[in-house]
Amino acid sequence: MSSTTDLRRTPLYERHQAAGARLVPFAGWEMPVQYAGVKEEHIAVRTSAGVFDVSHMGEIRTSGPQAAEFLQRILSNDVEKIAVGGSQYSVLCKEDGGVLDDLFTYRLADDVYLTVTNASNHAKDLAWFQRWAADFEVEVEDAFDEFAMLAVQGPTARQVVTQVLGHQLPAAFKTGGAVWNGADVLVAGTGYTGEDGVELLVPPAVAPQLWDALLAGGAVPAGLGARDTLRLEVGFHLYGNDLSEDRDPIGAGLGWACKEATGFVGSEAVAAARENGSPHGEKLVAFRFTEKGIPRGGNPVVGGGVVTSGTFSPTLGAGIGLAYVPVERAEIGTPIEVDVRGRVRAAEVAKKPLYARPR
């Protein structure tokens, strides 16, 4: 755990202080874990709109005549399918198939892409991009200092953002531009909560004023605690918990984001895991407790396996989580037991997502 003097702060740090946020170390940053409370913020996102400061996330800009070919080489998904104004989820793999990071990539123009990295992996990802770029006519730039990032999520999120920006928003998984108070805003129809909404990438200098406007428009400030409970209810991965360099994307349930025919770095190892099973012989599953208790990452699964992420679900009213278990115990409905600090709790492998928003 770093001391607070070693931690970086986003452009919204003073706003978090003023709102009474509980600030904690996270991936080298001093970040708000909650304001009014995790449950209250979670419910606000599920029922109305919440806004998260995710300015600790990193950005890498890739441009040039071979930008698409280069990204096709290092990203697991089929980059050629991203139209201008589109986005795509993928993973970054080592040669042995281990996952370096999971990413969203936006195609801003014919030969310009912006990839969003996880905060703890940004420097590592940037170095990986630069390493492989040498074989292509492409420019890789660290764009981190150019952006602050706000995620506005929930059933009324688009209404709030439309009123603030005064601009039509892109559809889900599309991107678009807007101008707010003289500043360019990149609007992406993405998020990590399972709700509708957008992510706004803006110059850091205008982020505090945009934050104020979103709150005045009805969005509730939400912290990392609610972000974690929300993403777990829909089975989204957190790098460092559910994904790591010693796990392959097939075992992690991300085979849908891997297109081995493109020849991306690590594709042969991923193809072997798809055909023969993960070398660990385990699969990442969602589970739900069938009795009282709250699972946490690191809890052993009795008989083999480990919980990678766990929490209490405010929506479902039960303990939930993700865990790697032996493949033969990964079928939906399989009963499992989790050792929570010496007390065994009954659970059941469950279908993902555990929660699905009303359509």
Side-chain angles (χ1 to χ4, degrees):
M1 186 76 72
S2 302
S3 69
T4 55
T5 56
D6 297 329
L7 300 174
R8 302 179 71 178
R9 293 170 175 173
T10 77
L12 295 167
Y13 174 77
E14 293 181 354
R15 293 301 195 273
H16 303 322
Q17 281 189 311
R22 178 186 167 200
L23 296 157
V24 300
F26 180 79
W29 293 78
E30 193 169 4
M31 297 294 293
V33 68
Q34 66 179 59
Y35 301 84
V38 173
K39 181 177 179 180
E40 293 87 342
E41 295 158 27
H42 179 109
I43 293 172
V45 174
R46 288 280 182 249
T47 60
S48 54
V51 56
F52 301 85
D53 177 12
V54 288
S55 302
H56 60 310
M57 304 289 277
E59 294 84 21
I60 299 173
R61 181 185 295 106
T62 303
S63 59
Q66 290 190 305
E69 291 89 338
F70 163 67
L71 292 174
Q72 192 81 298
R73 177 68 175 126
I74 64 169
L75 299 181
S76 67
N77 215 327
D78 189 350
V79 174
E80 291 185 357
K81 291 187 177 180
I82 312 176
V84 174
S87 66
Q88 187 182 76
Y89 178 86
S90 64
V91 294
L92 198 67
C93 287
K94 300 190 301 179
E95 292 92 337
D96 65 1
V99 178
L100 289 163
D101 206 357
D102 62 328
L103 313 160
F104 260 104
T105 296
Y106 308 123
R107 187 175 185 182
L108 306 183
D110 283 344
D111 296 329
V112 181
Y113 298 79
L114 190 72
T115 299
V116 177
T117 69
N118 281 296
S120 59
N121 293 335
H122 180 66
K124 176 180 70 174
D125 292 355
L126 179 63
W128 190 260
F129 270 57
Q130 291 169 335
R131 169 188 166 183
W132 292 95
D135 297 330
F136 297 86
E137 191 174 350
V138 66
E139 183 175 4
V140 171
E141 302 171 272
D142 184 358
F144 175 82
D145 291 334
E146 298 177 27
F147 299 104
M149 191 171 180
L150 309 181
V152 192
Q153 303 283 294
T156 64
R158 286 179 172 271
Q159 177 182 339
V160 171
V161 177
T162 298
Q163 291 176 344
V164 169
L165 295 185
H167 195 280
Q168 184 175 353
L169 304 182
F173 299 105
K174 303 296 183 182
T175 63
V179 176
W180 185 79
N181 281 6
D184 290 332
V185 180
L186 175 61
V187 184
T190 51
Y192 221 61
T193 64
E195 296 294 336
D196 195 10
V198 296
E199 294 179 307
L200 308 173
L201 287 87
V202 300
V206 303
Q209 291 72 39
L210 181 55
W211 175 271
D212 292 344
L214 293 167
L215 266 56
V220 172
L224 295 177
R227 189 170 170 83
D228 194 51
T229 56
L230 289 158
R231 67 96 186 172
L232 264 178
E233 286 185 348
V234 291
F236 291 161
H237 300 67
L238 176 64
Y239 192 89
N241 289 42
D242 318 303
L243 300 172
S244 65
E245 292 188 29
D246 62 354
R247 295 279 188 178
D248 63 84
I250 301 301
L254 293 176
W256 61 270
C258 298
K259 306 296 187 291
E260 294 92 302
T262 65
F264 64 86
V265 175
S267 60
E268 292 183 0
V270 172
R274 192 188 296 275
E275 182 175 354
N276 304 317
S278 172
H280 292 273
E282 294 181 331
K283 182 178 179 181
L284 187 69
V285 300
F287 67 87
R288 178 174 177 167
F289 273 9
T290 53
E291 63 175 308
K292 289 184 178 180
I294 303 175
R296 298 298 184 193
N299 290 161
V301 177
V302 178
V306 64
V307 174
T308 54
S309 293
T311 192
F312 180 81
S313 163
T315 306
L316 304 175
I320 63 170
L322 297 174
Y324 279 101
V325 300
V327 172
E328 62 270 18
R329 302 179 66 198
E331 290 295 322
I332 294 169
T334 301
I336 60 173
E337 293 178 316
V338 177
D339 184 340
V340 182
R341 298 186 299 277
R343 299 192 66 177
V344 175
R345 303 291 187 181
E348 184 177 84
V349 175
K351 182 180 179 180
K352 291 190 285 187
L354 298 170
Y355 163 84
R357 64 185 172 93
R359 297 289 179 177

